[in-house]
Amino acid sequence: MLDPELRNEIERLTKHYEPELIEFRRALHQHPELGHREHRTTGLIVDRLEAAGLRPRVLSGGTGVVCDVPANGAAPKLGLRGDIDALALPDAKDVPYRSRVDGVCHACGHDVHTALVLGAALVLADLDTQGEQF
């Protein structure tokens, strides 16, 4: 059972990051990248994790990110994974943040995957900084 104070702190941090993560997801949605070509997306993820004091590592293929939270790699370990690639489909959405790349979009929801995993990393990093055990 999760400690009520920890639960409240997680909820507070989640609400804190919500506007940023919505913007992040929309930025990804506007600039989708096909598999193994997600250089911009990878860079955005790395930049944000580094800004949070973490040490992300780009995968050997040049796209995709691995990052330990807490940054010191202490146990226990929990793995979170989110896809970052888009599909070769036109964006049928009629929204301000629709894809700006002809014939490519995040119809798959991987922009959401990316934002959710990034949000989890940010919350966990904050909890670690506060000395919370998770």
Side-chain angles (χ1 to χ4, degrees):
M1 186 78 169
L2 191 60
D3 175 65
E5 288 183 29
L6 180 55
R7 178 185 302 274
N8 289 339
E9 183 60 6
I10 291 170
E11 288 177 12
R12 184 190 72 75
L13 289 168
T14 301
K15 287 290 184 193
H16 168 77
Y17 286 115
E18 184 177 8
E20 175 187 352
L21 295 170
I22 289 170
E23 283 298 311
F24 187 85
R25 185 198 70 82
R26 289 179 177 175
L28 294 183
H29 195 88
Q30 286 181 322
H31 304 280
E33 298 171 296
L34 296 173
H36 307 289
R37 299 180 196 164
E38 310 97 327
H39 298 284
R40 179 182 182 279
T41 301
T42 296
L44 291 172
I45 296 165
V46 166
D47 289 349
R48 185 58 186 97
L49 292 171
E50 287 178 343
L54 297 169
R55 296 187 301 257
R57 300 174 307 282
V58 176
L59 299 178
S60 62
T63 63
V65 180
V66 173
C67 187
D68 292 329
V69 181
N72 67 8
K77 299 283 186 202
L78 168 69
L80 302 176
R81 181 185 181 279
D83 294 313
I84 64 174
D85 62 319
L87 297 173
L89 296 170
D91 194 346
K93 278 190 166 79
D94 184 19
V95 292
Y97 56 89
R98 77 178 281 144
S99 175
R100 296 180 181 173
V101 180
D102 288 336
V104 181
C105 77
H106 275 291
C108 51
H110 290 175
D111 51 342
V112 176
H113 288 185
T114 305
L116 291 174
V117 174
L118 176 63
L122 296 174
V123 168
L124 291 171
D126 282 354
L127 292 173
D128 180 56
T129 299
Q130 295 171 15
E132 294 286 350
Q133 298 295 311
F134 51 87

